[in-house]
Amino acid sequence: MYSFMGGGLFCAGVGNILLIVSTATDYWMQYRQSSNYMHQGLWRYCTPGKCFPHNDSIAHLDATRALMILSLLACFIGIIIGIMAFIHYSSFDRFDKTFAAGILFFISCFFVFLAMAVYTGVTINYYGKRYGNWRFSWSYIIGWVSVVLTFFSGIFYLCAYRMHECPRSGTSH
């Protein structure tokens, strides 16, 4: 049980770091314009030597930002509850920390998956039809890696919960 929880905490910790880096960096997409490489992230776009904030309220960027921040919060709270369950494992009758952490990791996975899907769909639909010389970059890729890591952290914590619940349900009245 503790090995599942340790694996879940490891995946969640790395996933949360990747979520922070992905959300904060400006390399979601790179494109070439008049022989210069430019790149953009969720918060700003950069030309060679200078970066500018996104001044317009672009719906898909706003949605992606909000979902990434919600994912960060869910993963961070899941890590806190997961550590509390790992350090002093005791479950209340109505609140099991292992189960709660697993559910929070799945919620984080769901939010970051939605964020990545929104960004991917709009970007491919818009840039794919209008421009030929663009590509997704490393910030975008580590966003997808964080989807996988938060998913596995949820799996690990729910496996730990299930291992703890099976012996207890067998000794019920």
Side-chain angles (χ1 to χ4, degrees), residues 75-153:
C75 190
F76 183 73
I77 293 168
I79 289 171
I80 299 296
I81 293 173
I83 290 171
M84 288 171 40
F86 195 86
I87 291 174
H88 179 50
Y89 192 85
S90 67
S91 59
F92 301 106
D93 288 338
R94 297 187 186 267
F95 181 74
D96 192 312
K97 293 178 197 138
T98 308
F99 182 75
I103 294 301
L104 281 166
F105 294 142
F106 279 126
I107 290 170
S108 175
C109 175
F110 179 69
F111 283 151
V112 73
F113 180 79
L114 281 179
M116 300 306 290
V118 166
Y119 189 84
T120 302
V122 172
T123 302
I124 288 175
N125 192 31
Y126 181 77
Y127 287 99
K129 293 179 180 176
R130 289 171 180 77
Y131 306 103
N133 202 2
W134 68 274
R135 66 185 175 112
F136 292 115
S137 193
W138 62 268
S139 297
Y140 172 82
I141 293 167
I142 64 172
W144 279 110
V145 173
S146 68
V147 170
V148 174
L149 288 172
T150 55
F151 177 76
F152 279 115
S153 62

Side-chain angles (χ1 to χ4, degrees), residues 38-50:
M38 308 213 280
H39 54 89
Q40 75 175 17
L42 298 178
W43 308 100
R44 58 189 190 159
Y45 63 95
C46 300
T47 60
K50 201 164 199 180

Side-chain angles (χ1 to χ4, degrees), residues 55-73:
N55 290 331
D56 298 334
S57 180
I58 303 170
H60 84 282
L61 287 179
D62 290 342
T64 304
R65 288 180 204 141
L67 289 166
M68 291 295 280
I69 290 170
L70 288 172
S71 176
L72 277 164
L73 291 172

